Amino acid sequence: MSRIGKKPISIPNGVEVSARDNVIVFKKGNVTKELDTKGNVKFSIKDGELTFASAGEDRQSAAYWGTYRALANNVIIGLTSGFEKKLEINGVGYKAAVKGKVVELSLGFSHLVNYELPEGVEASVDKNLLTIKGNDKQVVGQVAAEIRGFRPPEPYKGKGVKYLEEHIIRKAGKTSKK
């Protein structure tokens, strides 16, 4: 039985939630998000709360129950406050710049790395800190992972692109013979 699936989601002011067949439609202002449950869970919208129930008694139904509740909660959080990931760029000459919808990275290669941001994602740079913001948790995380993948941090000097909260385990390196 899903413990996450049992929790109702309170719908904040300004967010409209409606149902159409097996699709939950979230709307705030002119932004509309849809969550297709594909009939894997049952849901109801009553008294400003969105509740989910398992469609069956098997393990897969319980897994869908918690998963779709978490996905719906992420959509509501994305519409109200949004998501952000912070990347730290460490290294001599390593830097980033945002030019419109393109993030221009100088990461020690012989060329600049240009990363085009997808729709609904914006980035900003403050010294060596790259902030990625958006209202879709999956897309924000994917963009951050792809940018980090250009130059992951190395364990000797810690040079590269890392998440702000990430801790790099350092290695000692070579020791000289005496």
Side-chain angles (χ1 to χ4, degrees), residues 94-138:
Y94 289 15
K95 58 186 174 188
V98 178
K99 295 183 179 174
K101 294 291 281 179
V102 176
V103 177
E104 195 173 84
L105 301 160
S106 175
L107 298 173
F109 298 120
S110 61
H111 59 283
L112 292 175
V113 177
N114 292 322
Y115 184 83
E116 190 167 334
L117 295 171
E119 191 67 33
V121 176
E122 51 190 51
S124 62
V125 177
D126 181 37
K127 294 184 183 175
N128 68 335
L129 201 65
L130 176 65
T131 306
I132 300 162
K133 294 181 183 176
N135 60 8
D136 191 341
K137 186 175 188 177
Q138 192 273 329

Side-chain angles (χ1 to χ4, degrees), residues 1 12 15 21 25 35 49 51 63 74 84-85 90 96 115 124 130 132-133 135 141 146 148 153 157 160 167 169:
M1 177 165 262
V15 177
D21 295 329
V25 180
L35 178 63
E49 287 189 337
T51 56
N74 286 342
E84 77 173 17
K85 287 274 189 180
N90 293 323
Y115 184 83
S124 62
L130 176 65
I132 300 162
K133 294 181 183 176
N135 60 8
E146 287 175 3
R148 182 186 181 275
K157 292 184 179 178
H167 177 70
I169 298 171

Side-chain angles (χ1 to χ4, degrees), residues 2-72:
S2 174
R3 287 183 280 191
I4 292 176
K6 285 186 213 174
K7 295 180 184 178
I9 301 171
S10 63
I11 301 169
N13 293 335
V15 177
E16 299 174 23
V17 180
S18 59
R20 186 180 69 235
D21 295 329
N22 290 325
V23 178
I24 307 170
V25 180
F26 302 90
K27 186 174 183 181
K28 181 177 182 185
N30 58 357
V31 179
T32 303
K33 295 278 187 180
E34 294 184 357
L35 178 63
D36 188 3
T37 63
K38 298 181 175 91
N40 294 323
V41 291
K42 299 174 192 165
F43 59 89
S44 64
I45 305 162
K46 291 181 189 163
D47 302 328
E49 287 189 337
L50 177 62
T51 56
F52 288 86
S54 179
E57 296 298 319
D58 57 331
R59 287 179 60 118
Q60 191 64 45
S61 294
Y64 282 135
W65 184 18
T67 300
Y68 280 108
R69 190 263 179 208
L71 290 173

